């Protein structure tokens, strides 16, 4: 097709047809794009305190269970409440960061510490931390990654999906009936 | 395609339009597609359990509340509790909904508008409530008119009730009215026969042949779970010995469906059938001659203490209740009566029960007497499988009331409802109370307090009752849901839910061993600004001051309960609740005269009660005649004089006989009204919980309405079809119900369930169903019993169109 | 591997429906109002249904009230018709329902001869503060999926979790559905049918034992014990 043909066509059929066509394309593209953004976007998670795992786990050699107190006894793992942080941070500052000052103020006010869970199975899944961590002796980092070395909370994590679980179950020969996990 | 300016402009406009439309459309889409809803995560947390006692009915089941992170998510039975052994009835299972009910009264409410509307109430505070009410009561004391305070209560057992009773005594008012709870006729029959004032306990699990004269044994029986457990054992718990149940009733109730035989009698004639059976036992010498000869009086003619001649049962039955006569009245063939009587007598352990259907349909005294006499005739009194009498719980007496001339004078005055002759509390009925209040005699009433009952609903004349309350300047209700009576009050002081408060509950009716169940609060703080009733009385007493205040030396409810438990410890008997093994051990010890309770101090007893659910004494000393028979003659008495006084008034005549002159309604097509109480809504409680509304009757899947069962023949004659709306009309009132054509009733009868038709009770109870109490005549059993339900006749007419039950606004 | 079965003794059953309500509370079933109930849409995983006994004569009551849960058939008709494999039978005989997979076609509901499957016609709603009573062990189903009795297998998950953590086997009576636990007359029993010493095995050999609609070949794992006659043995 030559340019002159285009121009001819345009001149023949009216300029509005070409506008309509591109308008429709634009409409369709952006309609779907915006819809997808609305439906699929998950809000980025902002934690009350920008917790530095590295300082606690690597530098101070704390164990995961010092703050996540339930994974050896219960199905859920738990997030530290204000009482847990108060053990060390209420009376005197442990460091010099602004975040710690923020924490101290929060602890003094007596308000609850409301962490937003990053790793959360959908409610129709039964996952037992006790079974995996205490009985099967799987390291926390196998599922949670190297979060112990992070210096700030990630705003997003790659959600674990069924394939991740099944992959490990199959390779380890663990039971993988629907009813093992779904409820 | 080449991009030129026009195309670019078109593209941009299109893109903007696309985005502008895309966002809201996709949001609407995600609203519509429910599977895209954000997931709901009920909070998790560490788990534990707390023991309490269910109070949705008088059954007294021990409850174990499962808590997750401090939130109660499920109720189960307490496995160690001797009443229910780890089981719960549907009401107990639904009790969680009553804790979290959205329409619970959130705090003290004060009326500022016209009576009868929820909108008339404004939130207030406990301070203001206690001040205002305290002032009012103090004024009454100063004016030396303490009798102008009246209290209506529905329960006599818990610590709250006992405190309320003491409050009235200390205040100086004789008007402590215990509203009828459905146990009165049974207690009266036991008293007339054995001279003891309590509820009979039937040892169902050791019986082998049970003749049930109309009683809802497997429904809203005194302690439903306890009875059902016993029934399970009765049937299949003893290898090789299966109990037989014969049920007599005009309706195929749930108990009848479970029975081996359903003897369909004409309505109101269950007692007559019983007398027919009794007649056979006597005529054929099948009764227990040893017991009859040595331990009864009145079997044969005799002369009483004053030298009067008194007819014996033998004479009365032979003359007035011949087999032919009984068969004609009841509609039961003679051979069936003979067979049942002979089977009954031949059984190793025969037991007669009945006729109570529930707290509101408690059966006539006539029928209760017959049941008691049948058991006496076969000698099954105080024997395993028979009629037992529970011992009292050895709670310590509370300190003597301080002397107070105002209170003494007040208590000497006659009760405003004219009930005399017995120490209060004495049972009374809302209908009569309404009459007395309207008459404003013998003295005006200033303050009315209503607790643990809803008399405005449980009344055959609710409009009259509402009017009667208008004469009272201050009405206080302790309801936790705004029920019919609360709507008429000036103050609603919401009581704490049973899961939110301490309580020490004692032996439920129908349970043969003394027990004390400890309820621990299962939530750290109550969900709303509520207080246990006991606490309110303690606070009020302090406000009033003087001797009233010093009558209550306990600062709070827990301290009071603790002092009661100290008394249990000092009683030196019984044990903590435990397993079957523990029970057997304690029984063995006590039989030998030892006491080995497993606790050695009050602290240990208290902690043990918190951990196990309570204290009990499983040892039953059978055939201790001096304890269980306390009549003047020291024998079981057959009071044929009482029977004959009752006969003329209480027995319904069958329809369509030649000499039928006693009908109150029109003679054509009038049917006998039979009332029954489904367990889920028995006692007028339960309609507020949606799960209970859905299970009113297994044959009636929709629930949520009042229905009227009629036989297909009757329906044909009246021109009615299944599921038509009908007006059920008596001489005293009318209701609309849905007709259910079924052969579960005999012809010429209409059966209507009780428990629906409330104006209050929250969103699910309000406006659902109709209250058949309105159909009853307010006339009473001459000995003060409940309305005689068997004698009401009604007419049914088809209702069509607009009058059919409308769906209340805003209902889902 | 166990094979989970239930025994319902109709001679003990009093049709009190405690099992019905216990199931609803345990499994986060939303309360429905009168409007939904009238349309027959009230959700109840377990129902007590009236069977009319046509052969009853004389004084024998012609009504048999029978609790009817999902029968967890060994040859289930429902799993065969699901187009998306949202329902399947697992290695212990439990017929599972996986809610995220369900597309709400209700083919399974039609296929089930016992009509024990329920459909969520509307979004579940709990008026505040009733949502505080929700159990974290059972998922909340959205609108548009089918649900049914699961033999409370969330209790099995927790019980097995506990047993494994304590390094032992699951014991008899450690796992039982909510209905079995609450039944006041002890009419229900539950356990491993493959274990010859279990109560379920013992009761299944009773001469009173029968299945519902056995002729359809569904091989249900709910065993009923008929009401015994006078003088009948256990």
């Amino acid at each position: 097709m030559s340019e002159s043909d285009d121009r001819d066509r345009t001149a023949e059929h009216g300029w509005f047809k070409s506008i309509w066509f591109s308008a429709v394309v634009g409409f369709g593209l952006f309609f779907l794009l915006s819809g997808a953004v609305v439906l699929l976007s998950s809000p980025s998670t902002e934690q009350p305190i920008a917790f530095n795992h590295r300082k606690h786990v690597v530098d101070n050699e704390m164990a995961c269970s010092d703050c996540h107190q339930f994974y050896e006894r219960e199905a859920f793992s738990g997030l530290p409440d204000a009482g847990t942080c108060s053990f060390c941070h209420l009376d005197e500052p442990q460091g010099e960061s602004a975040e710690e000052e923020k924490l101290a103020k929060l602890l003094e006010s007596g308000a609850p510490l409301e962490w937003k869970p990053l790793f959360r199975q959908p409610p129709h899944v039964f996952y037992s931390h006790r079974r995996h961590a205490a009985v099967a002796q799987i390291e926390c980092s196998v599922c949670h990654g190297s979060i112990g070395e992070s210096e700030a909370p990630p705003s997003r994590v790659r959600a674990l999906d069924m394939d991740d679980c099944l992959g490990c179950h199959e390779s380890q020969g663990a039971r993988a009936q629907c009813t093992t996990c779904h409820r | 395609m080449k991009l030129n300016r026009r195309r670019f402009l078109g593209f941009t406009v299109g893109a903007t339009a696309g985005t502008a439309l895309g966002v809201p459309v996709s949001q609407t889409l995600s609203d519509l597609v429910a599977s895209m809803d954000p997931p709901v995560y009920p909070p998790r947390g560490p788990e534990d359990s707390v023991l309490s006692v269910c109070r949705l009915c008088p059954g007294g089941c021990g409850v174990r509340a499962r808590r997750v992170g401090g939130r109660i998510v499920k109720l189960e039975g307490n496995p160690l509790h001797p009443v229910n052994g780890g089981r719960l009835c549907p009401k107990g299972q639904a009790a969680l909904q009553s804790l979290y009910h959205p329409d619970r009264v959130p705090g003290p409410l004060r009326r500022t508008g016209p009576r009868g509307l929820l909108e008339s109430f404004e939130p207030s505070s406990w301070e203001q409530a206690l001040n205002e009410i305290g002032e009012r009561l103090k004024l009454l004391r100063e004016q030396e008119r303490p009798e102008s305070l009246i209290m209506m209560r529905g329960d006599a057992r818990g610590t709250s009730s006992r405190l309320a009773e003491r409050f009235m005594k200390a205040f100086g008012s004789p008007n402590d009215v215990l509203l009828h709870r459905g146990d009165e006729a049974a207690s009266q029959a036991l008293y007339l026969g054995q001279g003891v004032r309590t509820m009979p306990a039937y040892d169902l699990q050791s019986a082998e042949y049970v003749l049930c004269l109309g009683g809802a044994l497997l429904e809203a029986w005194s302690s439903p779970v306890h009875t059902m457990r016993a029934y399970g054992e009765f049937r299949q718990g003893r290898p090789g010995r299966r109990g037989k149940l014969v049920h007599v009733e005009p309706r195929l109730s749930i108990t009848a469906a479970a029975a081996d035989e359903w003897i369909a009698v004409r309505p109101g004639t269950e007692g007559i059938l019983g007398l027919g059976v009794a007649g056979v036992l006597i005529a054929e010498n099948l009764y227990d001659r040893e017991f009859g000869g040595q331990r009864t009086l009145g079997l044969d003619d005799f002369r009483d203490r004053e030298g009067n001649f008194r007819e014996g049962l033998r004479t009365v039955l032979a003359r007035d209740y011949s087999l032919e006569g009984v068969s004609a009245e009841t509609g039961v063939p003679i051979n069936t009566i003979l067979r049942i009587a002979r089977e009954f007598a031949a059984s190793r352990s025969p037991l007669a029960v009945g006729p109570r259907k529930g707290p509101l349909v408690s059966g006539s005294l006539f029928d209760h007497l017959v049941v008691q006499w049948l058991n006496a005739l076969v000698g099954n009194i105080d024997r395993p499988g028979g009629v037992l009498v529970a011992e009292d719980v050895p709670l310590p007496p509370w300190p003597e009331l301080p002397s107070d001339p105002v209170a003494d004078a007040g208590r000497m005055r006659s009760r405003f409802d004219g009930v005399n002759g017995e120490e209060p509390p004495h049972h009374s009925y809302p209908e009569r109370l309404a009459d007395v209040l309207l008459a404003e005699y013998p003295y005006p009433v200033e303050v009315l307090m209503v607790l643990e009952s809803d008399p405005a609903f449980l009344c055959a004349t609710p409009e009259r009752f509402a009017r009667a309350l208008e004469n009272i300047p201050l009405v206080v209700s302790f309801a936790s849901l705004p029920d019919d009576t609360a709507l008429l009050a000036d103050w609603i002081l919401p009581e704490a839910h049973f899961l939110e408060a301490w309580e020490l509950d004692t032996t439920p009716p129908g349970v043969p061993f003394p027990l004390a169940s400890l309820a621990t609060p299962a939530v750290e703080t109550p969900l709303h600004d509520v207080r246990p009733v006991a606490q309110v009385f303690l606070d009020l007493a302090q406000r009033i001051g003087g001797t009233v205040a010093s009558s209550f030396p306990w600062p709070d409810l827990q301290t009071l309960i603790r002092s009661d438990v100290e008394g249990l410890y000092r009683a030196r008997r019984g044990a903590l609740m435990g397993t079957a093994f523990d029970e057997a051990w304690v029984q063995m010890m006590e039989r030998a005269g030892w006491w080995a309770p497993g606790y050695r101090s009050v602290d240990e007893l208290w902690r043990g009660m918190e951990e196990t659910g309570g204290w009990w004494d499983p040892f039953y000393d059978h055939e201790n005649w001096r304890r269980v028979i306390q009549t003047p003659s020291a024998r079981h008495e057959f009071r044929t004089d009482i029977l004959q006084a009752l006969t003329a008034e209480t027995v319904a005549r069958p329809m369509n006989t030649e000499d039928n002159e006693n009908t109150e309604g029109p003679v054509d097509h009038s049917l006998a009204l039979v009332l029954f109480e489904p367990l889920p809504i028995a006692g007028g409680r339960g309609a507020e919980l949606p799960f209970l509304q859905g299970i009113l009757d297994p044959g009636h899947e929709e629930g949520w309405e009042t229905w009227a069962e009629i036989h297909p023949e009757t329906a044909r004659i009246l021109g009615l079809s299944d599921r038509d709306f009908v007006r059920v009309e008596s001489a005293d009132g009318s209701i609309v119900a849905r007709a259910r054509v079924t052969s579960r009733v005999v012809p010429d009868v209409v059966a209507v369930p009780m428990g629906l038709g409330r104006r209050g009770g929250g969103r699910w109870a309000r406006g659902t169903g109709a209250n058949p109490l309105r159909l009853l005549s307010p006339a009473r059993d001459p000995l003060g019993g409940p309305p005689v339900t068997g004698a009401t006749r009604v007419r049914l007419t088809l209702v069509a169109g607009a009058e059919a039950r409308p769906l209340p606004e805003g209902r889902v | 591997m166990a094979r989970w079965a239930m025994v319902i003794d109709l001679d003990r059953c009093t049709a009190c429906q405690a099992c019905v309500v216990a199931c609803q509370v345990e499994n986060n079933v939303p309360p429905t109002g009168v409007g939904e109930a009238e349309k027959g849409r009230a959700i109840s995983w377990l129902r007590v249904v009236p069977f009319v006994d046509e052969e009853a004569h004389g004084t024998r009551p012609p009504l048999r009230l029978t609790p009817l849960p999902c029968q967890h058939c060994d040859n289930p008709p429902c799993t065969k018709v699901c187009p998306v494999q949202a329902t399947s039978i697992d290695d212990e005989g439990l017929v599972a329902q996986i809610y995220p997979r369900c597309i709400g076609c209700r083919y399974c509901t039609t296929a089930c001869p016992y009509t024990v499957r329920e459909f969520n016609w509307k979004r579940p709603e709990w008026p505040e503060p009733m949502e505080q009573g929700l159990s974290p062990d059972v998922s909340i189903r959205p609108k548009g999926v089918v649900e049914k009795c699961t033999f409370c297998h969330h209790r099995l998950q927790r019980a097995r979790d506990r047993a494994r953590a304590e390094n032992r086997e699951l014991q008899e009576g450690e796992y039982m559905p909510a209905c079995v636990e609450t039944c006041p007359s002890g009419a229900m029993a539950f356990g491993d049918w493959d274990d010859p010493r279990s109560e379920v095995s013992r009761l299944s050999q009773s001469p009173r034992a029968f299945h519902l609609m056995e002729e359809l070949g569904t091989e249900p794992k709910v065993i009923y014990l008929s009401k015994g006659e006078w003088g009948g043995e256990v």
Side-chain angles (χ1 to χ4, degrees), chain A residues 1-182:
Chain A
M1 287 275 176
S2 72
E3 229 177 78
S4 55
D5 285 344
D6 278 325
R7 220 173 278 125
D8 286 342
R9 195 166 289 110
T10 312
E12 273 179 38
H13 299 286
W15 53 270
F16 50 87
K17 262 219 155 71
S18 66
I19 296 183
W20 269 115
F21 180 67
S22 41
V24 166
V25 167
F27 181 90
L29 209 63
F30 272 74
F31 184 86
L32 294 173
L33 252 160
S34 56
V37 165
V38 165
L39 292 178
L40 297 178
S41 67
S42 48
S44 72
T45 341
E46 175 100 17
Q47 303 291 351
I49 304 287
F51 183 76
N52 185 336
H53 267 99
R54 182 179 273 274
K55 272 214 185 112
H56 294 77
V57 175
V58 178
D59 300 344
N60 282 292
E61 292 178 355
M62 288 175 76
C64 304
S65 52
D66 288 336
C67 296
H68 302 279
Q69 293 171 340
F70 296 108
Y71 66 78
E72 281 161 342
R73 292 179 280 130
E74 301 269 3
F76 61 96
S77 168
L79 292 161
D81 59 4
T84 312
C85 303
S86 299
F87 262 132
C88 302
H89 290 279
L90 184 61
D91 292 324
E92 49 187 62
Q94 301 289 323
E96 291 152 0
S97 69
E99 281 304 303
E100 202 187 346
E101 269 186 54
K102 201 169 147 196
L103 173 70
K105 279 207 192 75
L106 193 63
L107 291 178
E108 267 177 43
S109 73
L113 206 49
E114 277 167 354
W115 302 109
K116 298 191 183 47
L118 287 169
F119 293 94
R120 203 127 205 220
Q121 292 295 342
H124 53 75
V125 171
F126 170 73
Y127 173 78
S128 167
H129 272 91
R130 171 168 60 177
R131 192 74 170 272
H132 292 79
V135 177
Q137 303 272 308
I138 298 173
E139 290 289 323
C140 307
S141 51
V142 169
C143 299
H144 294 291
S146 52
I147 195 165
E149 295 165 21
S150 67
E151 288 178 354
S155 56
R156 262 189 207 90
V157 290
R158 185 185 83 80
L160 293 166
D161 64 19
M162 196 164 129
D163 285 328
D164 299 317
C165 303
L166 279 185
C168 194
H169 271 241
E170 269 160 30
S171 67
Q172 302 294 318
R175 187 162 174 260
Q177 298 279 309
C178 300
T179 46
T180 310
C181 310
H182 281 282

Side-chain angles (χ1 to χ4, degrees), chain A residues 124 128 175 177 179 182-183, chain C residues 90-91 137 139 153 157 161:
Chain A
H124 53 75
S128 167
R175 187 162 174 260
Q177 298 279 309
T179 46
H182 281 282
R183 58 183 181 182
Chain C
D90 82 351
D91 56 358
D137 298 332
S139 57
H153 89 277
Q157 289 169 335
D161 190 45

Side-chain angles (χ1 to χ4, degrees), chain B residues 25 112 143 162 179 299 433 455 469 489 550 619 659 669 748 762 772 780:
Chain B
V25 165
T112 52
Q143 293 172 344
R162 289 159 56 219
L179 293 167
L299 189 54
L433 291 170
L469 255 53
S550 54
F619 176 62
D659 49 18
H669 303 312
D748 304 326
R780 287 278 159 279

Side-chain angles (χ1 to χ4, degrees), chain C residues 146-164:
Chain C
V146 171
E147 60 185 50
K148 69 167 189 73
C149 159
T150 58
F151 272 179
C152 282
H153 89 277
H154 60 278
R155 290 182 169 209
L156 173 61
Q157 289 169 335
R158 288 167 49 89
R160 190 162 265 153
D161 190 45
R162 194 166 40 237
R164 284 301 306 274

